[in-house]
Each structure stands twice: as structure tokens, then as C-alpha cells.
Amino acid sequence: MSSRTYTEEEVQDLTDRVFLLKEQLEAGKVQFVNQELADGFRRSYEAIRLRPDGKVDPTSLDGRIRASTLALIAMKQREDAKKCFSLAQVQEEYFAFLFREFGWLYDQMKKAQVTPSAAAEITARHDDMMQNLSEVLPEMVDAVREFWSSVGEVAGYHLQDSRQLKAVFAGDIFPAHWENAVSTAGLYVDTIILPCPITRLGTMLKAAPSNRIVEMVIKHVLTAMTYRDIALADVDPPIAMIVPNPDDADDEDRNGLILRTTPAICAHAKYLFERTFEGLEEFREFCVHLKTVDQVMKELKGPDRLVFDTEWGKDPVQQLSMSLKENFHFLGMDGANAGLHVFASSIGRMPQAMGAQQAANHFGGSPFINAETSWLHFTWLMEYQGVPREDDLTNRHSMHVVRALVSEAANNLEWLGNVPPETVLEIRKRGLADELRELLGNGVSNLIGINPDNYFRTADQVVDNLDSAFRKHQQVLMESRKKKLKLYGIDVGACAASGAVAVAAALTGNATLGAISGVLGIAGLPNIKGIKTKFKQISAEDKARRESPTGLLFRHVKRR
């Protein structure tokens, strides 16, 4: 049996890999999970021989050594890539591009004090402006895609290798301008990873740059620009950043996502119609013959999951009728075919849900889905995939709390949307994030252990946690006011004026007032020295209360 002949280039490559392995072993950076693996590796390592020229003899390397050195090379390349760009540099370059290209529109929006949505609507009324944008935006898509092709992988490495709690936004193009992600998910997770709206809308924009699509791009880009200050804030780990999801890059990735989601799409179709479909073509062929709403309803067996938009009510007839009215333009010539609306929704929503799941896995975080319709499809996807799944408990815990904050912000915790991002930044800078996280997540792990898919119950728990914290916060405020009143002598009605004199002396350091209060003290009123001491104590308590997580979180909430 003839042995393989190695080129000198291959021998040099193997030599470099072996000496890198030697370097890592001597530095103590190679660890083994058990002694058996360590012993086997040692035997393979000791069998390595060098040629007279100092290079390794390729025939002395077994599969264990070759595989381990390849892994080390990949890790080294990964670390070298991370050294080229920091996350902060990536964000600075990205936002510099946005403000260079759209800063004029952003400035007008701020000057007029309107929302990104309103600014986009106003822009859409100017035909000349829309014409110019329609011409230049496709080129911007290419520029942004080229930027992310250069740095996106490196940004992903940074995020994958970081250990903080991460939430990956999904289920929509970008968070709405009125639901700042930092005000909800940012209260619990360390870093919120937001998509790039340009890459996410790029395919539609390049295919058909209609005024509707252009307006949508403007709205989401302007919204993304409002995150600049929080994304570039000098905190570690970062609170929010924009990094595109892997499947947003191009059409090939999107087609691959649909292919991977085919089993879930067919499972969803089976739930809707109680019949088995072997593939997407069979499902489409079935739907195309259901031309009217009545024909769809006659075949429909799972009406509770025929949901195009949760805001359209629970009646499947109303859902489908609204889709025919609102979504016909997405299907072109087939816009009047009711069955194709069902098919289009299925091949749109299910891949979107899987994309959310895969993006979270890619970055090592949990999905952050604030759109109710998208959330429903995500929970159905998990059901179709089969439960229970042995996923990471920390990420599951994080997903439950984030979901609670997002869903209850429109119900029992309306004030959450009013938490300024600056407050979250201040909490982070003061090192209070862990304390706030403990407050929010108290008791959630126990509920997940009972039923990992009961998001309603964990949401109730988070609401109870915040409600209890707010009541305690109000009680502390009340006790603080009482302490001040007692300090000032106001609780002694007949001596209120004397108390005021003592307080004035304590605050101003006025010797004359101090002497007067000293005389009054003989009669049993608060002594000025005692007031100074107590005032400092109470001031320190007030400062600690204001700078506590609850003090920062609730300071903008009106007392109930």
C-alpha cells in the first residue's frame, strides 16, 4: 500500500498547526473533560516526530492531532478577526453612514418634533423627493450589504463569545418608534441585538422600489437612528446594537430558510386543514383551488390558527377578509385568491419564526418578539418542532421575562414604555442591573420548571414582582416624608415655627439661628446638633433610595 505524498506547502501548514498546539498546551489553554481523553491525546502528541529540517513528519500525525490543530487554527483566526474591529467601531461606522446619508431628514424630523412614521409620511407627499430616494436607495442597499459582509461576521464573533444576557429582536422589520426596546427588554437583558432595517428591506426595495416600500425604509431607518446614543454609550456590555441577522443577507439565505422550515409549514397546514401535505408544492396546489373565503372556510378545521393579524379579531372569516383587503398587493395577480393568502401567510410567518429562533441561537441569546402575531406563530413553531426541548435554562428564563415585559407593557404595565432609555443607561452605569434583574425574575424559574411554555403565568409573576416593588417604593417614600416631618419638628403642632428655625440653621449654618434653636431646645424641641446629624443621615438615605434600581426605575411613574 503506497503512502500519501505531501507537498512542502502542506508540510509547512501541518508544522505551523503543531507548533501552535504546542504553544497552547504550554500556556495551559487546552483542557480535557476527562482523564481518558487526556491520556489518549498525550499518546498522540508524544508520537509526533520532526524531520531533520525541523518540520513535522506528516505520517506521525493521527486524526486526533490533525482535528485539534484545525480547531485551534479556526479559533486563532476568529480571535485575529475580532482584533481587527471592536463592536464599538462597527457601531460607530454604521451610524456614521446612516447620519451621513439620512442626517438631513433626521434633523428635519427632530426640528419638527414629529415621529419617524410621521416624517416618512410627510416625505412621501413630495414626488420629487420620493423619485430621488427610489433611485439612490437600491445603491445604498448594496453599500450596506458590502459593509456587513466585511464586518458582520466579526460582530457576530464578538457577540457569540460574550457571556452577557442577550435578546435578539425578531418578528418585525424593526421595533416601532413608540415601543423603545431598551425601555422593556433592556430592563432585564444586558444587550439587545437589533436588525439592520436596510438589509432586512433590501430585497423588496431592489425588486420593486415603490413609494410604499421607500416610505417603509425611511420610517425604519429614522427609528434605527434614534438608537445611536444608547448604542454608542460607553458601557460594557453594550445596551443595544444593530447587527443584521444571518438570514437577512440575501435571497439565497431566505430560500434556504424556507427550505429548513418546510416541515413546520406542512405541520401548520395540517393543523389548519387536518390533512397531510408532503411538501410546499402540494400545499400550494391545494390552496390555489380555494378561491373564495367560503371555500376556505369549508375546508378549515383549525380556525383558531388562521391568524393574519391579531388586531383583526378572532373570527377566521374576518381575518381572511381583511387579508384580501389589506394584503392583495403582495400577491400581485393572485391577490383575489383567498386560498393563496393562507398559503402566503404560512410560508411567510413560519420561516419568520424559525429565523427568530436561529438568529437567537446564532448570537447566543433569546428571541425578543414584541409583535403579537409573530409571537403566536413562534409559539406554534415550537409546538410543531416538538417539546420539551433541552435548551439553555438561562435563555429560557430570559425569554419568559422579556416576553412578560413586552406583552404587559400594553396591559398591566403601561408605564414601562415611558421608562427613558437614559434611565436604563443610568441603572447600568451604577452597577444595579443584577439587582433589577433579580427583582424582575423572582419566582420565574419555578414556574418554568412546572410548565416551560406557560408564558401567561410567568407574565403574571413579573407583573406581581414589579407591582410589589412599586408598592414598597411608595412605602419608602412615605416613610421618608414622615422622617423629614419629624426631623423638622412639624409633628409637634405647637412648635412648627421653632422646627422651621432649626432646619434653617442646619441648612444655612447660621450661628444666630443656631443659638436661638439651642434655647428652644431647652424647652424640649429638636436640638440643632441632633438635627444636623439626623438631616445628614436622612439625606444619605434619600440619596441611596434615589439611586437604587427601583428609585431610578419608578421615578417617572406617577403615584397611584
Side-chain angles (χ1 to χ4, degrees), residues 91-306:
Q91 295 302 290
E92 287 169 1
E93 289 297 325
Y94 178 72
F95 280 101
F97 172 85
L98 292 187
F99 276 84
R100 184 169 61 250
E101 301 297 337
F102 297 96
W104 60 276
L105 191 53
Y106 184 84
D107 291 340
Q108 290 181 20
M109 177 185 78
K110 287 295 186 181
K111 184 177 180 180
Q113 297 182 335
V114 297
T115 65
S117 179
E121 288 179 13
I122 294 170
T123 305
R125 297 173 195 161
H126 296 79
D127 293 338
D128 56 339
M129 202 177 294
M130 292 299 285
Q131 179 63 34
N132 290 335
L133 286 169
S134 297
E135 293 173 359
V136 301
L137 279 177
E139 296 179 8
M140 287 188 190
V141 171
D142 291 336
V144 171
R145 283 179 171 175
E146 183 178 352
F147 169 77
W148 286 122
S149 68
S150 301
V151 303
E153 189 174 47
V154 175
Y157 289 161
H158 280 291
L159 289 167
Q160 290 162 6
D161 295 345
S162 58
R163 297 295 92 195
Q164 76 266 31
L165 282 178
K166 290 161 284 190
V168 184
F169 181 83
D172 207 341
I173 296 168
F174 200 81
H177 64 87
W178 44 264
E179 51 183 8
N180 193 295
V182 175
S183 300
T184 50
L187 295 174
Y188 187 81
V189 299
D190 294 309
T191 301
I192 302 166
I193 302 169
L194 302 169
C196 169
I198 296 178
T199 57
R200 184 157 277 192
L201 289 168
T203 300
M204 284 194 296
L205 185 60
K206 297 196 73 172
S210 64
N211 282 3
R212 180 187 176 92
I213 300 298
V214 171
E215 182 180 342
M216 193 183 304
V217 171
I218 295 170
K219 178 182 71 173
H220 289 298
V221 167
L222 290 176
T223 303
M225 293 168 75
T226 65
Y227 283 83
R228 178 181 61 175
D229 292 344
I230 204 75
L232 301 184
D234 186 19
V235 290
D236 185 29
I239 295 176
M241 57 177 31
I242 294 179
V243 179
N245 296 339
D247 291 313
D248 289 340
D250 53 44
D251 293 334
E252 288 186 11
D253 288 334
R254 291 175 183 273
N255 293 334
L257 180 61
I258 292 176
L259 183 63
R260 295 192 297 275
T261 317
T262 296
I265 296 172
C266 291
H268 185 59
K270 182 178 181 179
Y271 185 96
L272 291 174
F273 298 110
E274 284 189 3
R275 62 170 63 199
T276 301
F277 298 95
E278 296 299 327
L280 297 186
E281 190 58 39
E282 183 181 341
F283 178 32
R284 187 185 187 282
E285 189 66 24
F286 172 79
C287 289
V288 78
H289 291 97
L290 307 178
K291 299 184 183 300
T292 67
V293 174
D294 287 340
Q295 287 176 323
V296 172
M297 291 304 123
K298 287 179 181 178
E299 295 288 346
L300 189 65
K301 303 299 188 295
D304 57 312
R305 293 193 181 180
L306 185 63

Side-chain angles (χ1 to χ4, degrees), residues 14 41 48-49 132 248 256 283 313 331 414 443 478 503 506 515 519:
L14 289 170
F41 185 86
I48 298 174
R49 299 188 307 274
N132 290 335
D248 289 340
F283 178 32
L331 296 177
E414 299 95 335
M478 187 176 297
V503 170
V519 174

